[in-house]
Amino acid sequence: MAVKDRDRFSTATRIRIIGEQTAARVYRSQTRRQARRSRLTGRAALLAMVFCSLVVALAYPIRQYVAQRAEIADLQREQRETRQRVEDLRDLKARWQDDAYAEQQVRLRLHYVMPGETGFVVVDPEAAEQTRAEAGAADRPWYRNVWDGVDKADAAAHRQ
């Protein structure tokens, strides 16, 4: 028994036991890796590749579909606005065919008065001041006014 106890505590026995434990750990880790690898089979890889190719193949048509739907919505909105504008113009045409409305607009826009009436024009004092300030252009020769207009247009073109 003393020999067995001695073998149990010998360095060679301890190294052999450690080696066996290490081999067992390596074997267990290799089987785990193989189990992980076995999850991704050739079929799964093929299925993933088919799925990715479908996504890539359908991406452009779906984008076109969404763009066309947006364009259709814009055209429908524009059509509604145009129909509303046409309806407004028809209403305006019908109003202008009424003599009372035409007379009212002539009085308002052209400052016409009926025979026997006295017309008055009220001048805004601020507008009169602005007109006097612009009257300086009337004192100059016409070609100076034209040249100033060209300079202003040129300056506006350079700003843009």
Coordinates of all heavy atoms in Angstrom, one line a residue, residues 36-108:
R36 N -21.6 23.6 -32.8 CA -21.9 25.0 -33.4 C -21.8 25.0 -34.9 O -22.6 25.6 -35.6 CB -20.9 26.0 -32.8 CG -21.2 26.4 -31.4 CD -20.3 27.5 -30.9 NE -20.1 27.4 -29.5 CZ -19.0 27.6 -28.9 NH1 -17.9 28.0 -29.6 NH2 -18.9 27.5 -27.6
R37 N -20.8 24.4 -35.4 CA -20.6 24.3 -36.9 C -21.8 23.5 -37.5 O -22.2 23.9 -38.6 CB -19.3 23.6 -37.2 CG -18.1 24.5 -37.0 CD -16.9 23.8 -37.4 NE -15.7 24.5 -36.9 CZ -14.6 24.0 -36.7 NH1 -14.4 22.7 -36.9 NH2 -13.6 24.7 -36.2
S38 N -22.3 22.6 -36.8 CA -23.3 21.7 -37.5 C -24.6 22.5 -37.5 O -25.5 22.1 -38.3 CB -23.5 20.5 -36.6 OG -24.0 20.8 -35.4
R39 N -24.8 23.6 -36.8 CA -26.0 24.4 -36.9 C -26.1 25.1 -38.3 O -27.2 25.2 -38.8 CB -26.0 25.5 -35.8 CG -26.3 24.9 -34.4 CD -26.3 26.0 -33.4 NE -26.4 25.4 -32.1 CZ -26.2 26.1 -31.0 NH1 -25.9 27.4 -31.1 NH2 -26.2 25.5 -29.8
L40 N -25.0 25.6 -38.8 CA -25.0 26.2 -40.1 C -24.7 25.2 -41.2 O -23.5 24.9 -41.5 CB -24.0 27.4 -40.1 CG -23.9 28.1 -41.4 CD1 -25.2 28.9 -41.7 CD2 -22.8 29.1 -41.4
T41 N -25.7 24.6 -41.7 CA -25.6 23.6 -42.7 C -25.5 24.3 -44.1 O -25.7 25.5 -44.3 CB -26.7 22.6 -42.7 OG1 -27.9 23.3 -43.0 CG2 -26.8 22.0 -41.3
G42 N -25.3 23.4 -45.1 CA -25.2 23.9 -46.5 C -26.6 24.4 -46.9 O -26.7 25.4 -47.6
R43 N -27.6 23.8 -46.4 CA -29.0 24.2 -46.7 C -29.3 25.6 -46.2 O -29.9 26.5 -46.8 CB -30.0 23.3 -46.2 CG -30.1 22.0 -47.0 CD -31.2 21.1 -46.4 NE -31.2 19.8 -47.1 CZ -31.9 18.8 -46.7 NH1 -32.7 18.9 -45.7 NH2 -31.9 17.7 -47.4
A44 N -28.8 25.8 -44.9 CA -29.1 27.1 -44.3 C -28.3 28.2 -45.0 O -28.8 29.3 -45.2 CB -28.7 27.1 -42.8
A45 N -27.1 27.9 -45.4 CA -26.3 28.9 -46.1 C -26.9 29.2 -47.5 O -27.0 30.4 -47.9 CB -24.9 28.4 -46.4
L46 N -27.4 28.2 -48.2 CA -28.1 28.4 -49.4 C -29.4 29.2 -49.3 O -29.7 30.1 -50.0 CB -28.5 27.0 -50.1 CG -29.1 27.1 -51.4 CD1 -28.2 27.8 -52.5 CD2 -29.5 25.7 -51.9
L47 N -30.1 28.9 -48.2 CA -31.4 29.7 -47.9 C -31.0 31.1 -47.6 O -31.7 32.0 -48.1 CB -32.1 29.0 -46.7 CG -33.4 29.7 -46.3 CD1 -34.4 29.6 -47.5 CD2 -34.0 29.1 -45.1
A48 N -30.0 31.4 -46.9 CA -29.6 32.7 -46.6 C -29.2 33.5 -47.8 O -29.5 34.6 -48.0 CB -28.4 32.8 -45.6
M49 N -28.5 32.8 -48.7 CA -28.0 33.4 -50.0 C -29.2 33.7 -50.9 O -29.3 34.8 -51.5 CB -27.1 32.4 -50.7 CG -26.2 33.2 -51.7 SD -24.7 32.3 -52.0 CE -25.3 31.0 -53.1
V50 N -30.2 32.8 -50.9 CA -31.4 33.1 -51.7 C -32.2 34.2 -51.2 O -32.7 35.1 -51.9 CB -32.3 31.8 -51.8 CG1 -33.7 32.1 -52.3 CG2 -31.6 30.7 -52.6
F51 N -32.3 34.3 -49.8 CA -33.0 35.4 -49.2 C -32.3 36.7 -49.5 O -33.0 37.7 -49.8 CB -33.1 35.2 -47.7 CG -33.8 36.3 -46.9 CD1 -35.1 36.4 -47.0 CD2 -33.1 37.2 -46.2 CE1 -35.8 37.4 -46.4 CE2 -33.7 38.2 -45.5 CZ -35.1 38.3 -45.6
C52 N -31.0 36.8 -49.4 CA -30.3 38.0 -49.7 C -30.4 38.4 -51.1 O -30.6 39.6 -51.5 CB -28.8 37.8 -49.3 SG -28.5 37.8 -47.6
S53 N -30.4 37.4 -52.0 CA -30.5 37.8 -53.5 C -31.9 38.3 -53.7 O -32.1 39.2 -54.6 CB -30.2 36.6 -54.3 OG -31.1 35.5 -54.1
L54 N -33.0 37.8 -53.1 CA -34.3 38.3 -53.2 C -34.4 39.7 -52.7 O -35.1 40.5 -53.3 CB -35.3 37.4 -52.5 CG -35.7 36.1 -53.2 CD1 -36.6 35.2 -52.3 CD2 -36.4 36.3 -54.5
V55 N -33.8 40.0 -51.6 CA -33.8 41.3 -51.1 C -33.2 42.3 -52.0 O -33.7 43.4 -52.3 CB -33.2 41.4 -49.7 CG1 -32.9 42.8 -49.2 CG2 -34.0 40.7 -48.6
V56 N -32.0 41.9 -52.6 CA -31.3 42.8 -53.5 C -32.2 42.9 -54.8 O -32.3 44.0 -55.4 CB -29.9 42.2 -53.8 CG1 -29.3 42.9 -55.0 CG2 -29.1 42.3 -52.6
A57 N -32.7 41.8 -55.3 CA -33.5 41.9 -56.5 C -34.8 42.7 -56.4 O -35.2 43.4 -57.3 CB -33.9 40.5 -57.0
L58 N -35.4 42.7 -55.2 CA -36.7 43.5 -55.0 C -36.5 44.9 -54.5 O -37.4 45.7 -54.5 CB -37.5 42.7 -54.0 CG -38.1 41.3 -54.5 CD1 -38.9 40.7 -53.4 CD2 -38.9 41.5 -55.7
A59 N -35.3 45.2 -54.1 CA -35.0 46.6 -53.6 C -35.4 47.7 -54.6 O -36.0 48.6 -54.3 CB -33.6 46.7 -53.1
Y60 N -34.9 47.5 -55.8 CA -35.1 48.6 -56.8 C -36.5 48.7 -57.2 O -37.1 49.8 -57.3 CB -34.2 48.3 -58.1 CG -34.3 49.3 -59.1 CD1 -33.8 50.6 -59.0 CD2 -35.0 49.1 -60.3 CE1 -33.9 51.6 -59.9 CE2 -35.2 50.0 -61.3 CZ -34.6 51.3 -61.1 OH -34.8 52.2 -62.0
P61 N -37.2 47.6 -57.6 CA -38.6 47.7 -57.9 C -39.5 48.3 -56.8 O -40.4 49.1 -57.0 CB -39.1 46.3 -58.2 CG -37.8 45.6 -58.6 CD -36.8 46.2 -57.8
I62 N -39.2 48.0 -55.5 CA -39.9 48.5 -54.4 C -39.7 50.0 -54.3 O -40.6 50.8 -54.1 CB -39.6 47.8 -53.1 CG1 -40.2 46.4 -53.2 CG2 -40.1 48.6 -51.9 CD1 -39.8 45.5 -52.0
R63 N -38.4 50.4 -54.5 CA -38.1 51.9 -54.5 C -38.9 52.6 -55.6 O -39.4 53.7 -55.4 CB -36.6 52.1 -54.6 CG -36.2 53.5 -54.4 CD -34.8 53.7 -54.6 NE -34.7 54.0 -56.0 CZ -33.6 54.0 -56.7 NH1 -32.4 53.7 -56.2 NH2 -33.6 54.3 -58.0
Q64 N -38.9 52.0 -56.8 CA -39.6 52.6 -57.9 C -41.1 52.7 -57.6 O -41.8 53.7 -57.9 CB -39.4 51.7 -59.2 CG -38.1 51.9 -59.8 CD -37.8 53.3 -60.3 OE1 -37.2 54.1 -59.6 NE2 -38.4 53.6 -61.4
Y65 N -41.7 51.6 -57.0 CA -43.1 51.6 -56.7 C -43.4 52.8 -55.7 O -44.4 53.5 -55.9 CB -43.4 50.3 -56.0 CG -44.8 50.2 -55.5 CD1 -45.9 50.1 -56.3 CD2 -45.1 50.3 -54.1 CE1 -47.2 50.0 -55.8 CE2 -46.4 50.3 -53.6 CZ -47.4 50.1 -54.5 OH -48.7 50.1 -53.9
V66 N -42.6 52.9 -54.7 CA -42.8 54.0 -53.7 C -42.7 55.4 -54.4 O -43.5 56.3 -54.1 CB -41.8 53.9 -52.5 CG1 -41.8 55.1 -51.6 CG2 -42.1 52.6 -51.7
A67 N -41.7 55.5 -55.2 CA -41.5 56.8 -55.9 C -42.7 57.1 -56.8 O -43.2 58.2 -56.9 CB -40.2 56.8 -56.7
Q68 N -43.2 56.1 -57.5 CA -44.4 56.3 -58.4 C -45.6 56.6 -57.6 O -46.4 57.4 -58.0 CB -44.6 55.1 -59.3 CG -43.5 54.9 -60.4 CD -43.7 53.6 -61.1 OE1 -44.5 52.8 -60.8 NE2 -42.8 53.5 -62.1
R69 N -45.8 55.9 -56.5 CA -47.0 56.3 -55.6 C -46.9 57.7 -55.1 O -47.9 58.4 -55.1 CB -47.0 55.3 -54.4 CG -47.3 53.9 -54.8 CD -48.6 53.7 -55.6 NE -49.7 54.1 -54.8 CZ -50.9 54.2 -55.3 NH1 -51.2 53.8 -56.6 NH2 -51.9 54.6 -54.6
A70 N -45.7 58.2 -54.8 CA -45.6 59.6 -54.4 C -45.9 60.5 -55.5 O -46.5 61.5 -55.3 CB -44.1 59.8 -53.8
E71 N -45.4 60.2 -56.7 CA -45.7 61.0 -57.9 C -47.2 61.0 -58.2 O -47.7 62.1 -58.5 CB -44.9 60.5 -59.1 CG -45.0 61.4 -60.3 CD -44.2 60.9 -61.5 OE1 -43.4 59.9 -61.3 OE2 -44.3 61.4 -62.6
I72 N -47.8 59.9 -58.1 CA -49.3 59.8 -58.3 C -50.0 60.7 -57.3 O -50.9 61.4 -57.6 CB -49.8 58.3 -58.2 CG1 -49.3 57.6 -59.5 CG2 -51.3 58.3 -58.1 CD1 -49.5 56.1 -59.4
A73 N -49.6 60.6 -56.1 CA -50.2 61.5 -55.0 C -50.0 62.9 -55.3 O -51.0 63.7 -55.2 CB -49.7 61.1 -53.7
D74 N -48.8 63.3 -55.8 CA -48.6 64.7 -56.2 C -49.5 65.1 -57.3 O -50.0 66.3 -57.3 CB -47.1 64.9 -56.5 CG -46.2 64.9 -55.3 OD1 -46.7 65.0 -54.2 OD2 -45.0 64.7 -55.5
L75 N -49.6 64.3 -58.3 CA -50.4 64.6 -59.5 C -51.9 64.7 -59.1 O -52.6 65.6 -59.6 CB -50.2 63.6 -60.6 CG -48.8 63.6 -61.3 CD1 -48.7 62.4 -62.2 CD2 -48.6 64.9 -62.0
Q76 N -52.3 63.9 -58.2 CA -53.7 63.9 -57.8 C -54.0 65.2 -57.0 O -55.0 65.9 -57.2 CB -54.1 62.7 -56.9 CG -54.2 61.5 -57.7 CD -54.4 60.2 -56.8 OE1 -54.1 60.3 -55.6 NE2 -54.9 59.2 -57.4
R77 N -53.0 65.6 -56.2 CA -53.2 66.9 -55.5 C -53.2 68.1 -56.4 O -54.0 69.0 -56.3 CB -52.0 67.1 -54.5 CG -52.0 68.4 -53.7 CD -50.8 68.6 -52.9 NE -49.6 68.4 -53.7 CZ -49.0 69.3 -54.6 NH1 -49.7 70.4 -54.8 NH2 -47.9 69.0 -55.2
E78 N -52.3 68.0 -57.4 CA -52.3 69.1 -58.4 C -53.6 69.1 -59.2 O -54.1 70.2 -59.6 CB -51.1 68.8 -59.4 CG -50.8 69.9 -60.4 CD -49.6 69.6 -61.2 OE1 -48.7 69.0 -60.7 OE2 -49.6 70.0 -62.4
Q79 N -54.1 68.0 -59.5 CA -55.4 67.9 -60.3 C -56.5 68.5 -59.4 O -57.4 69.3 -60.0 CB -55.7 66.4 -60.6 CG -57.0 66.3 -61.4 CD -57.2 64.8 -61.7 OE1 -56.8 63.9 -61.0 NE2 -58.0 64.5 -62.8
R80 N -56.6 68.2 -58.1 CA -57.6 68.8 -57.3 C -57.4 70.3 -57.3 O -58.4 71.0 -57.3 CB -57.5 68.2 -55.9 CG -58.0 66.9 -55.7 CD -58.2 66.5 -54.2 NE -56.9 66.6 -53.5 CZ -56.0 65.7 -53.3 NH1 -56.2 64.5 -53.9 NH2 -54.9 65.9 -52.6
E81 N -56.2 70.8 -57.1 CA -56.0 72.3 -57.1 C -56.4 72.9 -58.5 O -57.0 74.0 -58.5 CB -54.5 72.6 -56.8 CG -54.1 72.2 -55.4 CD -52.6 72.4 -55.2 OE1 -51.9 72.7 -56.2 OE2 -52.1 72.2 -54.1
T82 N -56.1 72.2 -59.6 CA -56.5 72.7 -60.9 C -58.0 72.8 -61.0 O -58.6 73.7 -61.6 CB -55.8 71.9 -62.0 OG1 -54.4 71.9 -61.8 CG2 -56.2 72.5 -63.4
R83 N -58.7 71.7 -60.6 CA -60.1 71.7 -60.7 C -60.7 72.8 -59.8 O -61.7 73.4 -60.2 CB -60.7 70.3 -60.2 CG -60.5 69.3 -61.2 CD -61.1 68.0 -60.8 NE -60.9 67.0 -61.9 CZ -61.0 65.7 -61.7 NH1 -61.4 65.2 -60.5 NH2 -60.9 64.9 -62.7
Q84 N -60.2 73.1 -58.6 CA -60.6 74.1 -57.8 C -60.4 75.5 -58.5 O -61.3 76.4 -58.4 CB -59.9 74.1 -56.4 CG -60.4 75.2 -55.5 CD -61.9 75.0 -55.1 OE1 -62.3 73.9 -54.9 NE2 -62.6 76.1 -55.0
R85 N -59.3 75.6 -59.1 CA -59.0 76.9 -59.8 C -60.0 77.1 -61.0 O -60.5 78.2 -61.2 CB -57.6 76.9 -60.4 CG -57.2 78.0 -61.2 CD -56.8 79.2 -60.4 NE -56.3 80.3 -61.3 CZ -56.8 81.5 -61.2 NH1 -57.7 81.9 -60.4 NH2 -56.3 82.4 -62.1
V86 N -60.3 76.0 -61.7 CA -61.2 76.1 -62.8 C -62.6 76.5 -62.3 O -63.3 77.3 -62.9 CB -61.3 74.8 -63.6 CG1 -62.5 74.7 -64.5 CG2 -60.0 74.6 -64.4
E87 N -63.0 75.9 -61.2 CA -64.3 76.2 -60.6 C -64.3 77.7 -60.1 O -65.3 78.4 -60.3 CB -64.5 75.3 -59.4 CG -65.9 75.4 -58.8 CD -67.0 75.0 -59.8 OE1 -66.8 74.1 -60.6 OE2 -68.1 75.5 -59.7
D88 N -63.2 78.2 -59.5 CA -63.2 79.6 -59.1 C -63.3 80.5 -60.4 O -64.0 81.6 -60.3 CB -61.9 79.9 -58.4 CG -61.8 79.2 -57.1 OD1 -62.9 78.7 -56.6 OD2 -60.7 79.1 -56.5
L89 N -62.6 80.1 -61.5 CA -62.7 81.0 -62.7 C -64.1 80.9 -63.3 O -64.6 82.0 -63.8 CB -61.7 80.5 -63.7 CG -60.2 80.8 -63.3 CD1 -59.3 80.1 -64.3 CD2 -60.0 82.3 -63.3
R90 N -64.8 79.8 -63.2 CA -66.2 79.8 -63.7 C -67.1 80.7 -62.9 O -67.9 81.3 -63.4 CB -66.7 78.3 -63.7 CG -66.1 77.5 -64.8 CD -66.7 76.1 -64.8 NE -66.1 75.3 -65.9 CZ -66.0 74.0 -65.8 NH1 -66.4 73.3 -64.8 NH2 -65.4 73.4 -66.8
D91 N -66.8 80.6 -61.5 CA -67.6 81.5 -60.7 C -67.4 83.0 -61.0 O -68.3 83.8 -61.1 CB -67.3 81.3 -59.2 CG -67.8 79.9 -58.7 OD1 -68.7 79.4 -59.4 OD2 -67.4 79.5 -57.6
L92 N -66.1 83.3 -61.2 CA -65.7 84.7 -61.6 C -66.3 85.1 -62.9 O -66.9 86.2 -63.1 CB -64.2 84.8 -61.6 CG -63.7 86.2 -61.9 CD1 -64.1 87.2 -60.8 CD2 -62.2 86.2 -62.0
K93 N -66.3 84.2 -63.9 CA -67.0 84.5 -65.2 C -68.4 84.7 -65.0 O -69.0 85.7 -65.6 CB -66.7 83.3 -66.1 CG -67.3 83.5 -67.5 CD -67.1 82.3 -68.4 CE -67.8 82.5 -69.7 NZ -67.7 81.3 -70.5
A94 N -69.1 83.9 -64.2 CA -70.5 84.1 -64.0 C -70.8 85.4 -63.3 O -71.8 86.1 -63.6 CB -71.1 83.0 -63.1
R95 N -69.9 85.8 -62.4 CA -70.1 87.1 -61.7 C -69.9 88.3 -62.7 O -70.7 89.3 -62.6 CB -69.1 87.3 -60.5 CG -69.6 86.6 -59.3 CD -68.7 87.0 -58.1 NE -67.8 85.9 -58.0 CZ -66.5 86.0 -57.5 NH1 -66.1 87.2 -57.2 NH2 -65.8 85.0 -57.5
W96 N -69.0 88.2 -63.6 CA -68.7 89.3 -64.5 C -69.9 89.4 -65.5 O -70.1 90.5 -66.1 CB -67.4 89.1 -65.3 CG -66.2 89.6 -64.5 CD1 -65.3 89.0 -63.8 CD2 -65.9 91.0 -64.4 NE1 -64.4 89.8 -63.3 CE2 -64.7 91.1 -63.6 CE3 -66.5 92.2 -64.9 CZ2 -64.1 92.3 -63.3 CZ3 -65.8 93.4 -64.6 CH2 -64.7 93.5 -63.8
Q97 N -70.6 88.4 -65.7 CA -71.8 88.5 -66.7 C -73.0 89.2 -66.0 O -73.9 89.5 -66.7 CB -72.2 87.1 -67.1 CG -71.1 86.5 -68.1 CD -71.4 85.1 -68.5 OE1 -72.4 84.5 -68.1 NE2 -70.6 84.6 -69.4
D98 N -72.9 89.4 -64.7 CA -73.9 90.1 -64.0 C -73.6 91.6 -64.1 O -72.4 92.1 -63.8 CB -73.9 89.7 -62.5 CG -75.0 90.5 -61.7 OD1 -76.0 91.0 -62.4 OD2 -74.9 90.5 -60.5
D99 N -74.5 92.4 -64.6 CA -74.2 93.9 -64.9 C -73.9 94.6 -63.6 O -73.1 95.5 -63.6 CB -75.4 94.5 -65.6 CG -75.6 94.0 -67.0 OD1 -74.5 93.6 -67.6 OD2 -76.7 94.0 -67.6
A100 N -74.6 94.3 -62.5 CA -74.4 95.0 -61.2 C -72.9 94.8 -60.8 O -72.3 95.7 -60.3 CB -75.4 94.5 -60.2
Y101 N -72.4 93.5 -60.9 CA -71.0 93.2 -60.5 C -70.0 94.0 -61.4 O -69.1 94.6 -60.9 CB -70.8 91.7 -60.5 CG -69.4 91.4 -60.1 CD1 -69.0 91.4 -58.7 CD2 -68.4 91.1 -61.0 CE1 -67.7 91.0 -58.3 CE2 -67.1 90.8 -60.6 CZ -66.8 90.7 -59.3 OH -65.5 90.4 -58.9
A102 N -70.3 94.0 -62.7 CA -69.4 94.7 -63.6 C -69.4 96.2 -63.3 O -68.3 96.8 -63.3 CB -69.8 94.4 -65.0
E103 N -70.5 96.7 -63.0 CA -70.6 98.2 -62.7 C -69.8 98.4 -61.4 O -69.1 99.4 -61.3 CB -72.0 98.6 -62.5 CG -72.2 100.1 -62.2 CD -73.6 100.5 -62.1 OE1 -74.5 99.9 -62.8 OE2 -73.9 101.4 -61.3
Q104 N -70.0 97.6 -60.4 CA -69.3 97.8 -59.1 C -67.7 97.7 -59.4 O -67.0 98.5 -58.8 CB -69.7 96.7 -58.2 CG -68.9 96.7 -56.9 CD -69.2 95.4 -56.0 OE1 -69.7 94.5 -56.5 NE2 -68.7 95.5 -54.8
Q105 N -67.3 96.8 -60.2 CA -65.8 96.6 -60.4 C -65.3 97.8 -61.2 O -64.2 98.3 -61.0 CB -65.5 95.3 -61.2 CG -65.8 94.1 -60.3 CD -64.9 94.1 -59.1 OE1 -63.7 94.3 -59.2 NE2 -65.5 93.8 -58.0
V106 N -66.1 98.3 -62.2 CA -65.7 99.5 -62.9 C -65.5 100.7 -62.0 O -64.6 101.5 -62.1 CB -66.7 99.8 -64.1 CG1 -66.4 101.2 -64.7 CG2 -66.5 98.7 -65.1
R107 N -66.5 100.9 -61.1 CA -66.4 102.0 -60.2 C -65.2 101.8 -59.3 O -64.5 102.8 -59.0 CB -67.7 102.1 -59.3 CG -68.9 102.6 -60.0 CD -70.1 102.4 -59.1 NE -71.2 103.1 -59.7 CZ -71.7 104.3 -59.3 NH1 -71.1 104.9 -58.3 NH2 -72.7 104.8 -59.9
L108 N -65.0 100.6 -58.8 CA -63.9 100.4 -57.8 C -62.5 100.5 -58.5 O -61.6 101.2 -58.0 CB -64.0 99.0 -57.2 CG -63.0 98.6 -56.2 CD1 -63.1 99.4 -54.9 CD2 -63.2 97.1 -55.9

